[in-house]
């Protein structure tokens, strides 16, 4: 029996998560946790159902779903008003809170939901801007609570950032990780720090791209081409830290010093961990250790595997070309 999933909040995040779990065969109940008149709720529920079905139809048109399954999957999602929460929440095995990013509102919703649900369900907030320990105090039995940050569109992006807090039980994190892996997602664990992983990295990259336009370095179109066909192309195969190891941390060290001097801006400086790794001989693949450990790794086979992934990406982008004989 697959776990029943609850989505607290009927907005974009709740609808997206509902699609993900319904697609994977789960029954999903979406609770509109805002108090509304019956007519207003019916309008919202109709809009949510239409969006869920529309999303599934798009997935069908892009060959991720057989058209005849759209109705079956859509029917796995039930949308209920706040007054039905007391009956709906105890049926759920896992509840994802997706209320607006307002601390007091989230705390109030989580307090009421955890009380109504009873102590059995795991509860996760989908926020990346409010830390788990700032919300856990609102939860009855907080050992079953953690943050689970989904990236939009939730039904396509594999990554989910899990952030357990001081009170989160290890079993809760393990069960959530197993649940997400079971539906084809890729969960990662991160400490409760503002921005988690992806928002911190992408905010720096997006701001730098905007700054390049501001400084007249290149057009917006060419900057985005550079990201898609260079930056993004490489980092879709090699992670950022793996890429440092691939070339060597010493290259990043010297390149960073050059940019600091040439542009007169300390934001390009490498963090201390790069210098520490260099001093300790952890430069990357060429020394057998960097951010990753390559001891015992067949580096020739490893490189060829990564190059094969690059070739697959080239073919997917329509950029692979036959050689001239």
């Amino acid at each position: 029996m697959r776990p029943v999933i609850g989505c607290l909040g009927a907005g974009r995040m709740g609808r997206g998560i509902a699609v993900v779990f319904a697609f994977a065969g789960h029954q999903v109940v979406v609770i509109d946790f805002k108090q509304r008149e019956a007519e207003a709720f019916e309008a919202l529920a109709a809009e949510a159902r239409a969006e869920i079905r529309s999303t599934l139809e798009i997935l069908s048109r892009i060959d991720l779903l057989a058209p005849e399954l759209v109705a079956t999957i859509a029917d796995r999602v039930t949308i209920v008003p706040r007054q039905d929460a007391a009956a709906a929440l105890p049926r759920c095995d896992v509840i994802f809170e997706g209320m607006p990013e307002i601390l007091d509102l989230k705390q109030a919703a989580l307090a009421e939901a955890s009380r109504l649900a009873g102590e059995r369900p795991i509860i996760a907030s989908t926020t990346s801007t409010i830390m788990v320990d700032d919300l856990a105090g609102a939860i009855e039995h907080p050992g079953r609570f953690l943050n689970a940050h989904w990236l939009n569109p939730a039904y396509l992006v594999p990554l989910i950032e899990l952030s357990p807090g001081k009170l989160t039980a290890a079993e809760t994190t393990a069960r959530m990780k197993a649940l997400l892996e079971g539906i084809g997602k890729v969960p990662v664990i991160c400490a409760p720090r503002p921005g988690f992983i992806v928002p911190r990295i992408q905010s720096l990259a997006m701001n730098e791209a905007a700054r390049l336009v501001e400084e007249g370095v290149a057009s917006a179109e060419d900057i985005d081409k550079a990201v898609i066909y260079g930056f993004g192309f490489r980092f879709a195969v090699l992670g950022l830290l793996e890429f440092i190891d691939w070339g060597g941390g010493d290259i990043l060290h010297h390149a960073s010093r050059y940019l600091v001097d040439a542009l007169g801006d300390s934001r390009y400086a490498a963090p201390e961990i790069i210098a520490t790794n260099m001093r300790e001989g952890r430069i990357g693949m060429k020394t057998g250790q960097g951010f990753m450990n390559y001891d015992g790794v067949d580096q020739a086979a490893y490189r060829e595997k990564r190059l094969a992934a690059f070739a697959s990406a080239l073919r997917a982008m329509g950029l692979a070309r036959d050689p001239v004989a």
Side-chain angles (χ1 to χ4, degrees):
M1 185 73 176
R2 293 184 178 92
V4 175
I5 305 301
C7 296
L8 196 64
R12 180 174 64 167
M13 183 54 68
R15 298 173 195 185
I17 293 173
V19 168
V20 171
F21 280 102
F23 186 98
H26 294 259
Q27 294 296 316
V28 183
V29 56
V30 177
I31 301 106
D32 174 28
F33 219 56
K34 183 175 181 180
Q35 199 67 50
R36 303 176 198 270
E37 297 296 328
E39 186 176 337
F41 166 74
E42 288 303 329
L44 175 86
E47 175 194 295
R49 282 190 289 267
E51 181 177 331
I52 288 167
R53 187 176 183 100
S54 173
T55 298
L56 292 168
E57 288 169 347
I58 290 170
L59 295 179
S60 172
R61 290 197 295 273
I62 61 177
D63 296 327
L64 289 176
L65 169 65
E68 60 270 20
L69 292 178
V70 167
T72 299
I73 294 172
D75 287 345
R76 292 175 183 153
V77 181
T78 304
I79 302 170
V80 302
R82 181 170 183 150
Q83 54 264 38
D84 290 353
L89 287 170
R91 295 177 40 231
C92 299
D93 298 289
V94 179
I95 299 165
F96 291 95
E97 172 269 313
M99 303 293 287
E101 296 291 291
I102 301 168
L103 178 60
D104 291 348
L105 190 153
K106 281 185 180 289
Q107 288 174 328
L110 286 166
E112 184 175 356
S114 67
R115 178 181 60 80
L116 293 175
E119 64 183 87
R120 186 180 64 85
I122 289 176
I123 301 177
S125 176
T126 61
T127 182
S128 67
T129 59
I130 302 173
M131 298 301 96
V132 58
D133 293 328
D134 294 330
L135 294 169
I139 304 287
E140 293 188 5
H141 309 287
R144 43 82 176 262
F145 178 69
L146 76 170
N147 278 7
H149 176 228
W150 298 62
L151 280 70
N152 280 311
Y155 49 85
L156 285 181
V157 179
L159 184 78
I160 299 166
E161 298 175 314
L162 298 181
S163 184
K166 291 182 293 187
L167 301 177
T168 307
E171 180 191 6
T172 297
T173 305
R175 285 175 58 196
M176 179 65 83
K177 188 170 182 284
L179 172 70
L180 295 170
E181 288 174 340
I183 62 168
K185 293 298 184 180
V186 181
V188 295
I189 312 296
C190 62
R193 301 286 190 277
F196 293 179
I197 301 170
V198 171
R200 280 182 63 171
I201 293 170
Q202 73 182 11
S203 66
L204 291 174
M206 290 189 295
N207 282 326
E208 192 66 11
R211 201 170 281 116
L212 289 169
V213 175
E214 184 177 72
E215 294 175 2
V217 172
S219 68
E221 293 77 12
D222 279 350
I223 291 166
D224 274 357
K225 280 184 184 178
V227 170
I228 293 167
Y229 298 109
F231 187 93
F233 175 80
R234 293 190 298 188
F235 293 128
V237 172
L238 297 171
L240 286 164
L241 299 175
E242 184 183 8
F243 184 76
I244 295 171
D245 286 352
W246 180 282
D250 53 333
I251 293 177
L252 176 60
H253 172 77
H254 294 302
S256 297
R257 291 182 63 182
Y258 164 76
L259 287 173
V260 169
D261 291 342
L263 296 174
D265 196 322
S266 62
R267 76 174 182 268
Y268 297 103
E272 182 59 31
I273 193 172
I274 297 297
T276 299
N277 282 354
M278 287 177 62
R279 285 195 302 270
E280 296 178 358
R282 295 195 305 273
I283 295 175
M285 291 180 65
K286 57 191 173 188
T287 60
Q289 284 196 334
F291 284 96
M292 318 295 180
N293 186 348
Y294 302 93
D295 287 343
V297 173
D298 182 337
Q299 292 199 19
Y302 166 82
R303 286 181 181 275
E304 185 168 330
K305 182 179 179 180
R306 288 292 185 262
L307 292 172
F310 281 129
S312 294
L314 272 180
R315 286 190 287 271
M317 297 170 82
L319 293 174
R321 294 291 183 267
D322 292 329
V324 176

